[in-house]
Amino acid sequence: MEPSKVVLFFFLLSTFQVLFVTCMKFEVGGKNGWEVPKSKNDQQMYNQWASDNRFKVDDTLHFNYTKDSVLVVTKDEYEKCHSAHPIFFSNHGVTVFTLDRPGLFYFISGVSGHCERGQKMIIKVLEPASPPQSADQNEQKNDAAVAMATISSATLMSCIMSFVGVLFF
């Protein structure tokens, strides 16, 4: 491959990376997954894990477990380790939860006794970097986003065609 084609290839590759927004995927509990802590010393292990990470809007939490469940609850329900009407409930063995707003999320196990033994966690999702916009500014941003989406799809197609051209010609 000619040096100019190699440079073009790497330029196009870097263009693809800029086009994609990155979100993080977090595996709750690491290799052990979502389970009851093994000892009383580990009762804060999920909150310790959460405090070691930085979460932002659109990040996802992946819970892996067997014969258990994941509940998103209010602060009071978290403290009581019980919820009759959770905000979110899943017991499928693998649960993906998207952090869809800034603020605090409270998670507990729905199996009796598990929360009391430490299978619970508070996640703090950071505020976006920019300050909130007024309604007029949001409308202008939405118009700009539509225009950028059109430009981005055209740019993406152009990049794909250029990439194909480099490979075959």
Side-chain angles (χ1 to χ4, degrees), residues 80-100:
K80 293 175 186 173
C81 278
H82 177 74
S83 175
H85 304 286
I87 298 166
F88 172 85
F89 170 82
S90 179
N91 63 352
H92 300 293
V94 174
T95 298
V96 177
F97 184 83
T98 301
L99 301 167
D100 60 356

Side-chain angles (χ1 to χ4, degrees), residues 26-34 46 49 61-64 121:
F26 292 92
E27 297 291 335
V28 176
K31 63 181 168 101
N32 295 327
W34 180 244
Y46 291 109
W49 174 84
L61 301 177
H62 291 244
F63 294 83
N64 292 303
M121 169 177 67

Side-chain angles (χ1 to χ4, degrees), residues 27-53 55 63-65 68 78 107 109 114-123:
E27 297 291 335
V28 176
K31 63 181 168 101
N32 295 327
W34 180 244
E35 64 178 21
V36 177
K38 303 278 188 244
S39 72
K40 287 189 178 219
N41 294 336
D42 292 335
Q43 284 193 340
Q44 290 297 315
M45 70 183 222
Y46 291 109
N47 283 332
Q48 182 60 50
W49 174 84
S51 69
D52 290 342
N53 290 290
F55 303 97
F63 294 83
N64 292 303
Y65 51 90
D68 211 316
Y78 174 86
F107 296 88
S109 167
H114 286 197
C115 177
E116 292 84 355
R117 291 170 43 204
Q119 194 175 358
K120 61 183 186 173
M121 169 177 67
I122 302 171
I123 297 285

Side-chain angles (χ1 to χ4, degrees), residues 48-164:
Q48 182 60 50
W49 174 84
S51 69
D52 290 342
N53 290 290
R54 295 289 176 259
F55 303 97
K56 64 184 188 318
V57 174
D58 292 331
D59 284 347
T60 56
L61 301 177
H62 291 244
F63 294 83
N64 292 303
Y65 51 90
T66 55
K67 298 181 182 176
D68 211 316
S69 59
V70 176
L71 284 71
V72 177
V73 298
T74 66
K75 181 180 180 182
D76 289 340
E77 293 168 327
Y78 174 86
E79 290 170 358
K80 293 175 186 173
C81 278
H82 177 74
S83 175
H85 304 286
I87 298 166
F88 172 85
F89 170 82
S90 179
N91 63 352
H92 300 293
V94 174
T95 298
V96 177
F97 184 83
T98 301
L99 301 167
D100 60 356
R101 61 171 173 76
L104 297 175
F105 289 83
Y106 299 90
F107 296 88
I108 64 173
S109 167
V111 174
S112 181
H114 286 197
C115 177
E116 292 84 355
R117 291 170 43 204
Q119 194 175 358
K120 61 183 186 173
M121 169 177 67
I122 302 171
I123 297 285
K124 180 179 182 182
V125 179
L126 301 174
E127 292 284 337
S130 62
Q133 303 291 320
S134 70
D136 289 340
Q137 289 172 323
N138 281 338
E139 189 174 313
Q140 289 171 352
K141 277 191 169 188
N142 288 342
D143 292 343
V146 170
M148 285 304 293
T150 305
I151 292 168
S152 295
S153 61
T155 303
L156 180 61
M157 285 307 296
S158 174
C159 289
I160 291 171
M161 296 306 290
S162 298
F163 181 74
V164 170

